[in-house]
Amino acid sequence: MNAVQHFLPYRAQIAEIIPESDDTRTFVLALDPPTSVFDASRPGQFAMLSLFGYGEAPFTLSSVACALAVPGTVTLTVRRVGTLTSALFALPQGALVGVRGPFGRGFPAPHAWEPTLYVAGGCGLAPLKPAIEHHLVARPTAPIAVLYGARDAEARIHRAALATWSATPGVHVIECVENGNAAWHGHVGTVGEFLNRAMQSIHPERAAICGPPAMLAHIGARLRDAGILPGRIAVALERYMKCGTGRCGHCYVNHRYVCTDGPVFTFAELSELPDAFPPTTDATMAAAC
Ligand SMILES: Cc1cc2nc3c(=O)[nH]c(=O)nc-3n(C[C@H](O)[C@H](O)[C@H](O)COP(=O)(O)OP(=O)(O)OC[C@H]3O[C@@H](n4cnc5c(N)ncnc54)[C@H](O)[C@@H]3O)c2cc1C
Ligand code: FES
């Protein structure tokens, strides 16, 4: 991709809208005219989505062609939080949007021989989903564990994928919700409370984490303290972004650009970026973990 192409959105049609929860939907976008520009995307990379009159925002690809996505499409799982995402939710199937990318450094290639733990909180399962799917396509002989925490049962996203993984031999899935109710028969608590159980299930040598910032810092430190090498703990960061290409400086953290050096960093790299995680209090930590 040359420098000009970085800034020109591709036209895409909303081909499918999949409800995930009250405030989250998956949008499958068909590039129109067809182009294979996103087909080499890696798990953890992101796209800049543009809506006429509302601007652009970054969203991580929640499916990639190297693991289950249909070539020529861009799949984004979006939580409705503000102006652009609300405008997106108001669009019908068939509407046109713009999309730039793929951008950034994604998750490291899966290591088929090493037990790997994936930890996601809330919407953080969306970026981890293609990493897990890619890992399964790579036919691992080592076990995988997925620990997923949500606010309540209704807030859980990618439930079909979670059910598929739960039924896959060698994959241990632990789901937990903070607020249980009569309809939820699974675990009640935070991912922090179930981390030891997830680790004991596979004795991981690698891990990937995605979720609220306080959760990333806390879970990353616990995995490191449990003996996983910091260079083998992958963490997906979120920062305000504008260009997505390392030119505007909006995403600058210490001496790194999150849009091009990340958004996935190792915990070892993050130890050199003191501003990567916002300061946390016991209250924010408890809320996130
Ligand atoms: C690399 C990257 C990947 C992302 N992937 C996803 C994804 O897969 N799915 C998803 O739903 N969202 C994702 N996001 C967040 C998404 O970009 C924002 O939610 C979106 O920009 C909100 O746009 P809006 O106009 O609807 O909200 P706005 O009206 O701009 O803001 C609404 C509220 O959200 C806050 N906010 C907006 N953007 C951010 C941000 N980047 N960090 C912290 N707070 C923010 C604002 O301060 C405000 O309080 C990602 C962000 C980054 C940087
Ligand atoms: S978003 Fe512009 S430099 Fe990263």
Side-chain angles (χ1 to χ4, degrees):
M1 202 189 296
N2 66 37
V4 174
Q5 284 172 317
H6 271 311
F7 291 103
L8 291 178
Y10 294 92
R11 207 172 68 154
Q13 192 170 49
I14 300 178
E16 195 180 353
I17 302 173
I18 304 164
E20 299 284 351
S21 69
D22 277 358
D23 62 1
T24 304
R25 294 179 187 167
T26 292
F27 295 84
V28 182
L29 312 175
L31 293 157
D32 176 21
T35 162
S36 60
V37 72
F38 277 87
D39 291 352
S41 306
R42 311 305 298 174
Q45 286 195 296
F46 66 95
M48 296 297 294
L49 176 75
S50 50
L51 258 60
F52 303 110
Y54 295 93
E56 275 192 312
F59 298 94
T60 313
L61 305 164
S62 61
S63 281
V64 290
C66 65
L68 306 182
V70 177
T73 63
V74 174
T75 304
L76 308 173
T77 299
V78 178
R79 188 165 168 220
R80 186 182 54 219
V81 294
T83 315
L84 182 138
T85 48
S86 298
L88 176 67
F89 273 49
L91 292 179
Q93 197 172 322
L96 288 177
V97 297
V99 66
R100 290 193 291 130
F103 295 131
R105 182 178 66 160
F107 290 100
H111 285 248
W113 316 109
E114 293 167 345
T116 304
L117 170 62
Y118 294 90
V119 184
C123 230
L125 186 60
L128 276 190
K129 174 179 164 283
I132 297 166
E133 289 171 341
H134 189 208
H135 202 150
L136 290 171
V137 167
R139 297 188 182 283
T141 52
I144 291 175
V146 179
L147 173 58
Y148 175 47
R151 189 184 60 238
D152 52 42
E154 290 69 36
R156 290 152 57 240
I157 64 170
H158 294 307
R159 297 179 206 182
L162 285 160
T164 301
W165 302 333
S166 295
T168 304
V171 182
H172 303 251
V173 176
I174 300 177
E175 283 193 73
C176 53
V177 302
E178 286 165 46
N179 307 311
N181 59 25
W184 174 250
H185 303 292
H187 301 297
V188 176
T190 63
V191 290
E193 291 172 67
F194 290 94
L195 188 66
N196 287 344
R197 186 185 294 206
M199 283 196 282
Q200 281 155 13
S201 70
I202 61 160
H203 302 289
E205 293 170 26
R206 283 191 180 267
I209 321 169
C210 193
M215 186 198 110
L216 300 178
H218 177 72
I219 299 295
R222 281 185 58 190
L223 293 174
R224 179 202 57 204
D225 295 346
I228 303 182
L229 295 175
R232 292 181 173 197
I233 303 171
V235 179
L237 287 191
E238 265 194 26
R239 274 296 185 282
Y240 284 105
M241 290 184 183
K242 283 288 178 195
C243 69
T245 62
R247 287 170 173 80
C248 72
H250 268 77
C251 66
Y252 201 58
V253 177
N254 303 114
H255 57 286
R256 306 290 288 269
Y257 291 107
V258 175
C259 66
T260 49
D261 296 325
V264 177
F265 294 89
T266 67
F267 209 64
E269 290 171 321
L270 292 178
S271 68
E272 293 167 14
L273 306 179
D275 298 335
F277 300 121
T280 50
T281 62
D282 288 348
T284 54
M285 192 74 81
C289 308

